[in-house]
Amino acid sequence: MATPWLALLAGPLSYGIAAPALLLDDVARATGTDEQAATAGVTAFGWGIALGTPLLAALLARRGVRAVLTVSAALLGAGTLVLVLVPSVPALVAGAAVQALGSAGLTVTAMKLADSARQMGVVAASLAVVGATGPLTGALVADISSWQAALALPLLAVLAVPAARRGTTSPDAAPASFDPLGMVLLSMLVTAAVLIPHRPLVAGPATVALLLALVAWIKIRPDGFLPAAVAGNGRFLAACASAFALGVVNFALLYAAPDLLREHAGWDSTRSGIVLLAPYLLGGFCSGFLVAASVRVPRRVAATALLVTGAAAPLLAAVTTAVPLLLAAMTLGSLAAATGQGVLALGATGVVPASHKAEALGLFNLAYLLSVAFGPAIAVTFSHPTG
């Protein structure tokens, strides 16, 4: 499959996270609520991609690429239709969640179809670049058309579905036995984990209990929804943990940036949003080249370099008040996360059996996407410690 089509298949997912950033006031007015209620759609989208990633990856492993493309495109279209036609908060939540399920399936499929480090790098870079430009793109589309049109931007990914179907030369995967209990346990675990930053006293213990239950079930059913060959692989889990940590740093800095620039430079949110395009676009574009070049470097060296870069970003942001150095910290965080998503994905799928590559990609992306729930919450905690 041609590389530009892979980028188009994956990249628009980031619009669902980033495009509403400057539109919350418009959404609140249209739905007759406040801005906090309007953010429910973004939260629902985050939950949908976190949950949809392993679910659609399992479908990919069991039914093949064409089945996932069909289901994902249908979910994406249905969710977008609800968002566009029904201007209410319940419809916003339901539509965003369904839209996210479809987006997650298309992104996992794009990573599965990437057959080289260069293509994986382009997929990771497309997600980062779309995320960087998403807020301004969403605002521009809303000015030209409406806020509903801006929320429909993830639908652009379906333009690549025909090319993805044509590029699938191998037959669909043979159906495998279904493990409903494993699927339910993972779904509940993801839901509890996403709620930890908001309801830690309830969601924290629930997450631990569900994790222990899932581990016990994997031992009973090693070939189930979460194969033991993947979930029990130490190197795979290390790659997932590293991706999660890099994502937390990146999203925390992204949400802390406006407050930092307002405090140290006196900039308003609009100016900050425009200026922040530079570090996040630079990180996104450079990540594509770095992922492609990573095959020439030992995996441990590459992983260590990513973690050092990721650790340097928040440290630099914490000790400096100079705007150029703050922007440098944002660049380091973006570069480490975007590059890490591609490099660590290659490493994670390279240490599991080839027959479980789809499940591995799903779990790896789940680990990375969970950082969306934690990074912003950490930023808010440090920005408003008495809140």
Side-chain angles (χ1 to χ4, degrees):
M1 184 175 176
T3 302
W5 289 118
L6 289 176
L8 180 58
L9 193 65
L13 174 144
S14 292
Y15 278 131
I17 300 171
L22 302 178
L23 305 176
L24 295 180
D25 287 339
D26 294 336
V27 176
R29 284 193 297 269
T31 56
T33 58
D34 58 16
E35 188 172 307
Q36 185 175 6
T39 62
V42 181
T43 302
F45 192 91
W47 174 83
I49 56 176
L51 179 61
T53 295
L55 293 182
L56 274 297
L59 179 64
L60 178 64
R62 286 160 174 76
R63 299 293 180 180
V65 169
R66 294 190 176 187
V68 173
L69 290 173
T70 300
V71 172
S72 299
L75 289 169
L76 184 51
T80 302
L81 195 63
V82 172
L83 286 173
V84 170
L85 296 181
V86 188
S88 69
V89 171
L92 190 68
V93 171
V98 175
Q99 186 188 57
L101 291 172
S103 293
L106 295 182
T107 299
V108 169
T109 303
M111 299 186 80
K112 174 71 163 57
L113 294 176
D115 59 4
S116 68
R118 182 181 64 84
Q119 287 195 329
M120 184 66 81
V122 171
V123 169
S126 71
L127 290 163
V129 169
V130 170
T133 60
L136 288 181
T137 302
L140 180 61
V141 171
D143 288 341
I144 296 173
S145 179
S146 66
W147 62 267
Q148 291 104 319
L151 298 185
L153 285 171
L155 190 62
L156 290 172
V158 302
L159 296 175
V161 169
R165 291 181 66 89
R166 290 194 303 269
T168 305
T169 56
S170 58
D172 284 348
S177 58
F178 184 54
D179 175 18
L181 181 57
M183 183 188 73
V184 170
L185 286 173
L186 180 64
S187 300
M188 294 173 63
L189 175 61
V190 169
T191 303
V194 168
L195 292 174
I196 285 177
H198 308 284
R199 297 288 187 272
L201 295 181
V202 176
T207 300
V208 173
L210 288 166
L211 180 61
L212 293 175
L214 187 58
V215 170
W217 179 248
I218 291 173
K219 292 180 179 179
I220 297 172
R221 183 77 182 271
D223 60 342
F225 189 79
L226 283 185
V230 175
N233 188 304
R235 288 187 291 173
F236 171 80
L237 295 177
C240 291
S242 299
F244 173 77
L246 294 175
V248 168
V249 168
N250 182 48
F251 289 114
L253 287 175
L254 176 62
Y255 278 79
D259 284 339
L260 290 173
L261 293 174
R262 185 183 304 113
E263 177 184 352
H264 300 307
W267 292 357
D268 59 24
S269 58
T270 301
R271 185 177 181 185
S272 296
I274 295 173
V275 171
L276 286 173
L277 278 176
Y280 285 100
L281 281 177
L282 180 62
F285 278 121
C286 290
S287 67
F289 298 101
L290 292 175
V291 173
S294 68
V295 295
R296 304 184 184 92
V297 180
R299 285 179 180 171
R300 288 187 179 180
V301 174
T304 301
L306 287 169
L307 292 175
V308 170
T309 303
L315 291 176
L316 180 58
V319 301
T320 187
T321 60
V323 171
L325 292 179
L326 287 173
L327 295 178
M330 312 300 171
T331 303
L332 290 176
S334 171
L335 187 64
T339 305
Q341 189 178 15
V343 171
L344 295 171
L346 289 171
T349 56
V351 297
V352 300
S355 59
H356 292 306
K357 181 179 179 180
E359 293 101 322
L361 279 173
L363 290 177
F364 174 84
N365 281 327
L366 167 61
Y368 180 79
L369 292 170
L370 279 177
S371 65
V372 178
F374 288 84
I378 292 172
V380 170
T381 299
F382 280 95
S383 298
H384 308 284
T386 59

